[in-house]
Amino acid sequence: MSQPVSSKPLVPIYEAPADTLDTTAHLLTISSTASPCHIRLVDCQALVTQGVLRILECPEFPTFPYSAISYPWRGVAIDPRESISSRRFAVEGAEAGDPVGVDVLRHACAASLARGNPYLWLDRLSIIQNNREDKDWQIKHMYKVYQSCRLCIVVAGGVQRLVRLDEETSWIHRSWTLQEVLAQPEVTVLFDWKLGPGECLSGGTIFTISEATPGESAVAPLTLILQACTVGTLSFNPSNAREGSSESLNVEASMFSAQPTKNSYNDIPFWRPQRKLFAPNVAALSAALDPVISADPEARGHAVWQSALMRTSSRPVDMVLSIMGLFNVELDPAAFGKGDDARQMATVALARAILDAGGSATWMGAGCRVEPDRSLSTFPTFPRTNVAGAALVRTKSGFQEVSELVDPVYPVPEALVPLPKGKMDEIGYFTFAARAARAYSAEGAPNGEAAFDGSRWVFAGDGESCAAEESLEAQGPPRVFAALLGWFNQYHPGYTPAHDLKNIRVMLLAEHQPGRFRVQSFLALHRSYKTSVLGWVETTFCVGGNEKEAGK
């Protein structure tokens, strides 16, 4: 085997014929041959042409081309009635995840070779799964793993078997998959496909489907598959169609969402709980991938927080560690525990690092209809951890899918004001300046509307009316302020809403200790109030809401 150009050689640490790998026979292990804190890759050529699984190791990040796989730890289950001839094998230390299908690995290696990448990174095989030192090192450098690869391959159904485009998967609900596809500009989706190569049309966009393994699997760009899942279908014209034939095949696309076709793009106000147009998970990820929107750090950061809010993981802290690289932050996984307290500590650490580097609080307003977190109110309530399935959050009516409470919007700083900047202390209190007006209970405002009667602003949201005065004179505790957050546009992949009018977002901040506030809720105002809210007085707030610290 010829070595690629690198300052350090690749050393084989595992090799076995693929047809001998079997979950019922043994667990694959590299713990006795691998060195902790090293990079490991699968030799694609050996598997595709020789049927040999060969894992190689290097002490530093490679400078030669390789691909990396993005997939859910627990994917689409294999129906016992299905005829699956491919062998599957489990890895020591990762028995809780799905076994690895040899055919899936072979298809991924073929897709990698087709792009000129002879090696493949797959966490199941590239991390010593029963070695804590190696795991912590790999997690700390996970963003670099995907940033350094030449191609990210999405295997949405997991590593047991490839899924078709019309099979819904949990990939978009998993926390780590977000960073994996945003770190690398070239991302492709690998799926089961028997129709051959050809051109597709979906949502007015034409793109190509290329075969990975002829007659078995194919690849297409992630951005275009996301758009197809938003529309629900794609029109496919095979390259091998009869000459002169104009017939096309209509293919259902629901890999990343399975929204009912009755949903439309009507502009329904964001506070109405029945609103569910299409998968907000898809919209938030599409916004983060959109080259125009992502060029603005505030818009991209907000899309990242929105996407992260709608995802979950088996470990609470992973919901933070899985996105830190997207904000150029490197936290030490060993510094945090495993429970909800660890997630809060990591969240504060990440937010403080972003603010200390001069960044904005792009997490604010990421989920306006999600109850603010009881201990860290500038953030929405964190979803329940889950090793599989969608992210859920507790509401007054029970647990609800977070995506049903998130609106597809992104901030536009130049349209009104930038998102807040400031400092956060070690328990999560965020000090920042914002244009604000005093708010208090009032009667007569229609629910979800705002009006100005010449002396006061009258708002209503979530069934509770309030008013905000132009004056900031003290009126006794508890004080409540309406603070301007910014201007937000709706986002739909491949579509521009015609009735996006309530663009101004306002926070209601309630004082729970002298000089300390909590985010109570959010309001959406009509764009016609732009001049008036810009006349509010700039005020400094200290916002957090740690209930233990507050003695509650």
Side-chain angles (χ1 to χ4, degrees):
M1 180 186 64
S2 61
Q3 291 287 345
V5 178
S6 177
S7 58
K8 300 289 184 180
L10 279 168
V11 178
I13 60 167
Y14 180 89
E15 185 168 318
D19 60 7
T20 65
L21 300 172
D22 191 341
T23 296
T24 61
H26 67 283
L27 295 175
L28 186 150
T29 179
I30 58 173
S31 58
S32 62
T33 56
S35 302
C37 309
H38 280 50
I39 293 295
R40 298 168 202 97
L41 301 167
V42 173
D43 186 337
C44 294
Q45 196 70 43
L47 184 61
V48 172
T49 63
Q50 303 170 32
V52 173
L53 175 59
R54 181 181 295 137
I55 302 173
L56 309 130
E57 184 177 82
C58 184
E60 61 185 27
F61 274 85
T63 57
F64 49 83
Y66 69 94
S67 301
I69 290 183
S70 173
Y71 73 102
W73 194 253
R74 288 187 182 174
V76 177
I78 292 179
D79 191 321
R81 296 168 296 181
E82 291 184 84
S83 175
I84 303 295
S85 59
S86 172
R87 288 183 177 272
R88 293 177 295 145
F89 62 92
V91 177
E92 187 176 80
E95 295 91 335
D98 291 335
V100 180
V102 173
D103 273 353
V104 174
L105 196 56
R106 177 173 58 84
H107 289 302
C109 283
S112 182
L113 288 170
R115 297 297 181 92
N117 303 327
Y119 300 97
L120 183 73
W121 190 93
L122 172 64
D123 64 352
R124 195 73 61 85
L125 303 176
S126 300
I127 298 176
I128 310 174
Q129 296 293 337
N130 53 3
N131 185 296
R132 189 72 256 172
E133 179 189 6
D134 191 61
K135 271 193 169 182
D136 285 345
W137 185 86
Q138 299 283 349
I139 289 173
K140 189 175 181 179
H141 295 91
M142 195 66 66
Y143 181 74
K144 187 175 181 180
V145 168
Y146 284 87
Q147 187 183 43
S148 302
C149 76
R150 301 290 178 86
L151 174 69
C152 177
I153 302 173
V154 173
V155 183
V159 290
Q160 287 201 89
R161 68 174 179 88
L162 292 185
V163 297
R164 304 182 306 274
L165 289 177
D166 63 350
E167 292 184 80
E168 189 180 8
T169 72
S170 64
W171 179 87
I172 205 163
H173 301 297
R174 312 315 303 155
S175 61
W176 284 102
T177 59
L178 174 61
Q179 177 174 263
E180 290 163 3
V181 297
L182 293 182
Q184 171 54 233
E186 187 176 1
V187 185
T188 191
V189 181
L190 175 66
F191 49 94
D192 181 278
W193 185 258
K194 305 293 193 298
L195 301 178
E199 281 193 343
C200 289
L201 174 65
S202 182
T205 302
I206 297 175
F207 61 97
T208 299
I209 285 183
S210 305
E211 288 187 298
T213 302
E216 298 181 37
S217 62
V219 294
L222 171 63
T223 52
L224 298 171
I225 297 298
L226 286 170
Q227 182 168 305
C229 288
T230 300
V231 177
T233 60
L234 57 84
S235 178
F236 176 67
N237 293 293
S239 300
N240 58 1
R242 298 189 309 273
E243 186 175 349
S245 173
S246 59
E247 294 183 3
S248 60
L249 302 174
N250 197 45
V251 179
E252 182 183 340
S254 54
M255 178 178 282
F256 300 122
S257 67
Q259 299 297 317
T261 55
K262 65 181 180 181
N263 291 332
S264 67
Y265 290 119
N266 292 330
D267 181 22
I268 301 174
F270 81 97
W271 53 83
R272 294 186 185 173
Q274 71 270 24
R275 177 178 195 254
K276 185 161 182 164
L277 306 180
F278 60 95
N281 323 58
V282 173
L285 178 57
S286 297
L289 291 166
D290 189 298
V292 176
I293 291 177
S294 61
D296 184 327
E298 285 196 8
R300 185 177 189 268
H302 189 269
V304 168
W305 285 111
Q306 276 207 327
S307 289
L309 178 62
M310 293 181 280
R311 294 166 182 255
T312 186
S313 180
S314 58
R315 295 198 320 160
V317 72
D318 281 354
M319 298 184 197
V320 181
L321 299 178
S322 63
I323 62 171
M324 62 180 178
L326 298 173
F327 296 98
N328 298 315
V329 173
E330 190 177 281
L331 303 176
D332 183 5
F336 311 103
K338 297 181 180 180
D340 287 335
D341 287 345
R343 172 168 54 185
Q344 182 169 323
M345 290 173 57
T347 300
V348 172
L350 176 57
R352 294 183 73 188
I354 292 171
L355 295 170
D356 289 347
S360 301
T362 51
W363 60 85
M364 297 185 75
C368 289
R369 289 188 290 116
V370 179
E371 188 77 15
D373 186 74
R374 305 180 90 181
S375 298
L376 201 62
S377 71
T378 59
F379 287 85
T381 297
F382 298 111
R384 186 175 65 170
T385 54
N386 192 357
V387 71
L392 303 174
V393 67
R394 187 186 294 276
T395 67
K396 294 177 182 178
S397 58
F399 281 104
Q400 189 172 356
E401 189 172 329
V402 180
S403 65
E404 297 176 352
L405 301 171
V406 173
D407 304 293
V409 296
Y410 63 94
V412 185
E414 62 271 17
L416 194 61
V417 293
L419 292 175
K421 293 185 177 183
K423 293 292 182 180
M424 181 176 286
D425 67 17
E426 64 279 359
I427 62 171
Y429 272 93
F430 177 33
T431 301
F432 62 94
R435 298 176 185 272
R438 183 70 186 272
Y440 59 94
S441 296
E443 300 294 333
N447 187 39
E449 298 296 333
F452 184 65
D453 64 9
S455 61
R456 63 179 185 171
W457 284 85
V458 182
F459 307 117
D462 301 324
E464 182 179 341
S465 61
C466 64
E469 288 192 331
E470 298 268 299
S471 170
L472 297 183
E473 294 178 3
Q475 296 182 13
R479 296 188 301 165
V480 179
F481 289 88
L484 181 59
L485 181 60
W487 181 286
F488 290 78
N489 282 344
Q490 288 189 16
Y491 179 80
H492 301 282
Y495 174 82
T496 302
H499 305 291
D500 181 15
L501 300 176
K502 293 189 175 179
N503 306 91
I504 301 173
R505 295 290 188 269
V506 171
M507 303 173 283
L508 287 183
L509 306 178
E511 190 173 37
H512 67 86
Q513 281 191 335
R516 293 198 166 193
F517 292 80
R518 283 177 46 82
V519 176
Q520 193 175 66
S521 62
F522 293 87
L523 304 173
L525 305 184
H526 194 278
R527 59 171 63 190
S528 61
Y529 295 117
K530 177 177 179 179
T531 301
S532 297
V533 297
L534 286 175
W536 287 357
V537 178
E538 187 165 292
T539 308
T540 299
F541 295 97
C542 181
V543 183
N546 189 309
E547 293 189 349
K548 294 180 181 179
E549 181 270 342
K552 295 188 179 181

